Amino acid sequence: MFNTRHTLVALVEDKPGVLNRVASLFRRRDFNIESLAVGRSEQLGLSRMTVVVGGDSAKVEQVRKQLDKLINVVKVTDITGEDIVTRELALIKVKATASTRSEIIQIVDIFRANIVDVASDSLTVEVTGDEDKVNSLLELLRGFGIKEVSRTGRIALTRGAI
Amino acid sequence: MKKTGAQILCESLIREGVEVIFGILGGAVLPIYDTFPQYPQLRHILVRHEQGAAHAADGYARAVHKAGVCIATSGPGATNLVTGIANAYMDSSPMVAITGQVARPFIGKDAFQEADITGITLPITKHNYLVAGAAELAKTIKEAFHIAQTGRPGPVLIDIPRDVQEEKAEFVYPDKVDLPGYKFVSKGHSVQIKRAVKLLKEAARPVIIAGRGIIISQAYDELKELAEKAQIPVINTLLGIGAFPGDHVLNFGMLGMHGLAYANLAVQNADVVIAIGMRFDDRATANTKDFAPQASIIHIDIDPAEIGKNVPIDIPIVGDVKSVLKAMNKEIESRNHLDWLSQLEQWRSEHPSLEIRQNDGLLPQYVIRQISEATRGDAIIVTGVGQNQMWAAQHYIYTKPNSLISSGGLGTMGFELPAAIGAKVGRPEETVWCVAGDGGFQMTIQELATIAQENIAIKIAIINNGYLGMVRQWQELFYQHRYVDTKLWNPDFVQIAEAYDIPGVRVKHREEVIPAIQKAMDYPGPFLIDFIVEPEENVYPMVQPGESLSQILELPKPEVPSKY
């Protein structure tokens, strides 16, 4: 019954309005979506959606069953307790001067992140990993001055055989 | 051969077995209406407001067990359907609502009479469609009827842009649907059924709570077999009325906020509750924390999302009620529960919830009872919402399956008149009584014109207490008699009816009740009776909000002088 973070993965039809239907259901049942990522899946005409929400298990199970009733949702699973791989991608534009640039590059290297754009007063960093890794890098870069951040939100798959 | 979108729509409706459409026209559905004369087998009933079309389609659907169809134009026509669609959604009534939309090039331009009706109805439809082209239309209609009428039924809306109605496409009606995301389980899990049978075998004080699912599934015989074989008393929800004969010895009536005292006591003292096709609505359970506190609960429902939604369940069985009950009946053993049934009989005599007291003024309970007597419990009763609804639920003895049509979930005042039209159109051989309150009647009163135009022979009983009665009752009990804005100035309903060419009488005294009802029944067409009843009569028993089903308020509180 405790408030925990749940990761729901839904296989949905790739049709107009489907994202709206899914998001609307969360709103109706009083859930705040922490993140939502969607893109084409391995099957033609189907997208895979990863939704992260906080809530007690019974409430999340209720919303999962309601989602499963949507005609455009082919399958939806709460994979929270399962053995899963999760990743998030973030782009971070950080202030950089001649004197700070090399220090930033060092930090980026430690995180195995990449510099994807260099300007006279900033660097744009691309980082992939779980949320903790992204958060840690952000925390370290904050001291240099962060100009912009864009995060994809979590995507997830269960490990091994399906 | 190529056909226009409008022709494809009509052809498809005919292939779905549609005979009647309730609607009112406007600019964005003109091509459809222009096509109707080519298809005389589709009867169109012209209503006076789109809400009426939706409720009529809903009433029709409930009466005949197939999807009711309504049609409205774009913009305000479509938004006027919304209450009726929400009502059908809450009560799992199959409906296909067709709306016109502005032509495709105008969509998203805030064109005249444009409204995003698929967006608006997203949370109140089982599914909806905006049709992108005439070539998609046949497939869409096939899917819409399939979705509306199978599994847990519900409303489906199809929004058709005006130019799609005129566009030509090849017409081939599909014989199958391909909906990978739509699934429902019909057969109950055999292990769960075995567990339920075992639990019932060990039960000493079992009760059945029968819901509307039994009516939807038409599992009347299966329910009766289960109840009789295992000698289990049957309690019903409001919408479960008509699932089990009202005059059956095992029938102990409706539970809930205005349930009969002995029905509530039975549930509260049961050791096993078998809830069939019901969804533990708060009006039925009262405070869920103390609902059936001694009972293990078996829940049979076709919608897995209903399991454990409001009340924890010990044995869930997901499946179609009819199929599950059939399987259970094969395994259930004959039992008798003499002690338990005599306990219930004792509660029934100690708590005579249906007793009507002697009174000088006309009592609404008496009116309902007399309609019940005059029709021998054999009519279809369509009610409004509020006191009239509760009295009709309590005091009419429903002997026939599926004989109450009422807005349970959404509680839509104004449902009664158009829904009664739909019921009578669907089952013209039946006597249909519309039991209305004076408040709700005025919310869809314009449909009197539809009744007159189509000569729909329904009998209308207005339970006229000059108040928004149920709200007044709450003000009396919980707001210290402060009757803020519940007193109604009313027009002369008999004269109103007369203006619509519908005969009617006013009844103020007890002795006039039976002759008036007789007169209404004898008259071959629609008839209205304005019953002027005791203005401050309350509905009892009552479980006050927040309390448990055991805390039953039975006798009127002593009169406290109003300070307001």
Side-chain angles (χ1 to χ4, degrees):
Chain A
M1 287 309 222
F2 296 108
N3 249 32
T4 46
R5 261 165 143 218
H6 289 258
T7 305
L8 299 175
V9 174
L11 208 55
V12 304
E13 288 184 275
D14 182 14
K15 283 184 179 167
V18 175
L19 177 61
N20 188 202
R21 287 176 198 276
V22 171
S24 162
L25 230 165
F26 282 100
R27 174 192 56 74
R28 228 180 105 205
R29 306 275 161 181
D30 197 26
F31 277 94
N32 182 26
I33 297 175
E34 284 182 30
S35 80
L36 189 153
V38 59
R40 298 258 156 85
S41 75
E42 72 285 356
Q43 297 174 59
L44 192 70
L46 295 182
S47 297
R48 183 166 274 107
M49 206 180 265
T50 309
V51 190
V52 179
V53 290
D56 77 52
S57 299
K59 269 184 80 180
V60 173
E61 176 57 8
Q62 171 60 208
V63 82
R64 189 199 64 75
K65 289 200 264 188
Q66 297 289 353
L67 279 173
D68 212 17
K69 279 165 68 176
L70 293 179
I71 309 292
N72 300 128
V73 173
V74 176
K75 193 179 176 199
V76 55
T77 336
D78 184 349
I79 58 167
T80 311
E82 292 177 42
D83 190 11
I84 54 174
V85 187
T86 70
R87 286 292 180 272
E88 180 175 9
L89 183 140
L91 293 172
I92 307 161
K93 192 184 283 172
V94 59
K95 279 185 196 161
T97 60
S99 58
T100 61
R101 190 166 288 129
S102 61
E103 196 184 338
I104 293 170
I105 292 170
Q106 269 184 11
I107 292 169
V108 167
D109 281 345
I110 294 168
F111 276 81
R112 280 180 281 174
N114 299 312
I115 307 285
V116 290
D117 186 52
V118 182
S120 60
D121 59 348
S122 71
L123 289 169
T124 301
V125 180
E126 170 211 312
V127 59
T128 311
D130 57 24
E131 285 96 333
D132 284 348
K133 177 179 170 186
V134 175
N135 290 342
S136 306
L137 177 60
L138 263 172
E139 212 40 58
L140 284 170
L141 295 178
R142 206 169 294 280
F144 301 97
I146 287 171
K147 293 167 76 106
E148 274 183 292
V149 175
S150 181
R151 300 175 70 154
T152 59
R154 182 191 293 187
I155 56 168
L157 287 178
T158 51
R159 283 181 195 272
I162 39 167
Chain B
M1 203 186 88
K2 285 196 169 186
K3 292 183 185 296
T4 66
Q7 286 172 321
I8 292 171
L9 171 67
C10 293
E11 297 268 356
S12 305
L13 292 178
I14 289 163
R15 277 166 182 72
E16 287 299 331
V18 174
E19 291 163 6
V20 188
I21 301 167
F22 302 91
I24 184 159
L25 61 176
V29 287
L30 269 170
I32 295 173
Y33 274 82
D34 194 48
T35 308
F36 279 160
Q38 298 169 32
Y39 301 94
Q41 61 270 61
L42 291 173
R43 177 181 177 196
H44 178 263
I45 292 181
L46 178 67
V47 297
R48 293 302 184 275
H49 186 285
E50 290 83 358
Q51 185 187 349
H55 289 326
D58 186 347
Y60 176 89
R62 296 187 203 209
V64 303
H65 294 288
K66 66 177 189 184
V69 179
C70 56
I71 181 163
T73 191
S74 65
T79 56
N80 278 345
L81 288 179
V82 167
T83 303
I85 294 172
N87 190 76
Y89 186 68
M90 286 289 263
D91 288 349
S92 312
S93 186
M95 177 193 286
V96 173
I98 294 156
T99 49
Q101 181 54 278
V102 299
R104 282 169 294 181
F106 291 94
I107 291 180
K109 307 276 170 63
D110 301 321
F112 177 65
Q113 291 193 330
E114 182 184 2
D116 172 18
I117 198 62
T118 46
I120 290 169
T121 58
L122 204 73
I124 55 163
T125 49
K126 195 169 167 187
H127 195 53
N128 64 23
Y129 296 90
L130 171 60
V131 182
E136 272 186 27
L137 204 45
K139 177 177 172 283
T140 303
I141 295 163
K142 178 82 190 171
E143 288 181 7
F145 276 86
H146 179 70
I147 292 167
Q149 299 180 131
T150 55
R152 178 178 180 173
V156 177
L157 180 135
I158 309 173
D159 198 23
I160 313 175
R162 197 195 143 121
D163 59 331
V164 172
Q165 299 163 25
E166 288 166 336
E167 188 183 32
K168 284 193 168 176
E170 211 59 59
F171 175 65
V172 186
Y173 202 62
D175 39 71
K176 276 199 208 77
V177 292
D178 177 27
L179 293 163
Y182 181 58
K183 58 241 150 198
F184 55 89
V185 181
S186 293
K187 259 187 81 180
H189 198 286
S190 60
V191 174
Q192 294 296 83
I193 290 173
K194 282 205 165 58
R195 285 181 63 206
V197 168
K198 183 166 178 285
L199 187 63
L200 282 174
K201 195 178 159 190
E202 291 158 5
R205 302 185 308 281
V207 298
I208 289 169
I209 303 178
R212 183 166 140 70
I214 290 156
I215 295 167
I216 294 171
S217 181
Q218 301 186 68
Y220 316 111
D221 294 343
E222 289 76 9
L223 173 65
K224 211 166 148 203
E225 187 184 334
L226 173 68
E228 287 177 353
K229 209 165 162 187
Q231 286 292 300
I232 307 175
V234 179
I235 310 294
N236 52 261
T237 66
L238 171 68
L239 296 188
I241 288 175
F244 191 71
D247 52 358
H248 195 287
V249 65
L250 287 170
N251 188 314
F252 288 87
M254 179 174 80
L255 86 165
M257 178 176 267
H258 292 294
L260 310 183
Y262 41 89
N264 287 349
L265 288 170
V267 172
Q268 293 303 85
N269 289 283
D271 65 348
V272 173
V273 164
I274 166 160
I276 311 175
M278 56 86 77
R279 58 184 181 85
F280 298 92
D281 175 75
D282 55 88
R283 287 297 191 267
T285 61
N287 193 333
T288 50
K289 285 195 180 71
D290 190 36
F291 173 76
Q294 306 168 36
S296 299
I297 302 179
I298 303 163
H299 187 194
I300 307 172
D301 203 285
I302 199 159
D303 182 356
E306 287 302 339
I307 307 288
K309 186 181 79 179
N310 295 338
V311 165
I313 301 301
D314 299 282
I315 304 181
I317 307 176
V318 175
D320 173 51
V321 162
K322 194 180 182 106
S323 147
V324 172
L325 287 183
K326 266 197 175 133
M328 280 183 79
N329 286 341
K330 277 192 196 137
E331 303 193 23
I332 211 97
E333 289 170 21
S334 283
R335 292 292 310 272
N336 61 58
H337 297 286
L338 293 176
D339 291 349
W340 175 230
L341 287 169
S342 65
Q343 172 67 71
L344 260 67
E345 286 301 344
Q346 193 184 328
W347 282 328
R348 197 190 320 241
S349 58
E350 286 168 5
H351 303 271
S353 300
L354 292 182
E355 199 173 81
I356 300 170
R357 66 171 204 279
Q358 287 299 317
N359 191 65
D360 292 338
L362 185 56
L363 287 177
Q365 299 91 326
Y366 176 79
V367 171
I368 301 292
R369 188 64 62 77
Q370 291 314 317
I371 296 174
S372 184
E373 301 266 317
T375 57
R376 296 191 183 84
D378 198 39
I380 296 178
I381 304 296
V382 186
T383 78
V385 168
Q387 290 186 317
N388 68 82
Q389 178 184 36
M390 291 299 111
W391 286 317
Q394 293 174 339
H395 291 276
Y396 193 94
I397 310 299
Y398 299 84
T399 57
K400 232 172 34 186
N402 191 22
S403 45
L404 171 72
I405 293 178
S406 192
S407 166
L410 196 67
T412 311
M413 289 171 68
F415 171 75
E416 57 273 49
L417 196 62
I421 293 173
K424 183 70 182 171
V425 168
R427 284 161 74 183
E429 72 289 357
E430 304 283 352
T431 303
V432 175
W433 276 87
C434 166
V435 175
D438 50 311
F441 186 63
Q442 293 180 76
M443 292 188 177
T444 46
I445 196 168
Q446 74 285 344
E447 300 310 334
L448 286 173
T450 309
I451 292 168
Q453 183 163 349
E454 297 278 338
N455 190 30
I456 293 164
I458 62 168
K459 315 300 170 186
I460 303 161
I462 303 177
I463 306 299
N464 186 347
N465 54 16
Y467 280 107
L468 296 168
M470 187 59 91
V471 188
R472 184 209 54 75
Q473 177 170 343
W474 281 50
Q475 288 175 329
E476 177 188 330
L477 298 174
F478 314 125
Y479 294 86
Q480 292 78 45
H481 282 76
R482 291 189 298 274
Y483 294 165
V484 181
D485 289 331
T486 38
K487 181 98 189 112
L488 298 176
W489 177 92
N490 282 329
D492 182 327
F493 292 120
V494 177
Q495 276 189 43
I496 293 257
E498 217 165 89
Y500 283 101
D501 207 18
I502 296 168
V505 292
R506 177 164 300 105
V507 170
K508 290 180 171 171
H509 305 288
R510 211 179 150 90
E511 57 277 12
E512 299 160 4
V513 172
I514 295 171
I517 293 171
Q518 209 47 57
K519 195 172 172 189
M521 306 260 287
D522 291 343
Y523 186 74
F527 197 93
L528 179 144
I529 310 175
D530 184 17
F531 291 103
I532 310 296
V533 299
E534 198 66 58
E536 297 194 17
E537 185 66 11
N538 286 342
V539 178
Y540 291 106
M542 181 175 193
V543 174
Q544 301 191 39
E547 294 193 337
S548 94
L549 278 188
S550 313
Q551 288 152 298
I552 306 159
L553 193 60
E554 287 182 87
L555 292 167
K557 282 183 175 173
E559 194 62 29
V560 180
S562 169
K563 285 181 189 155
Y564 201 76

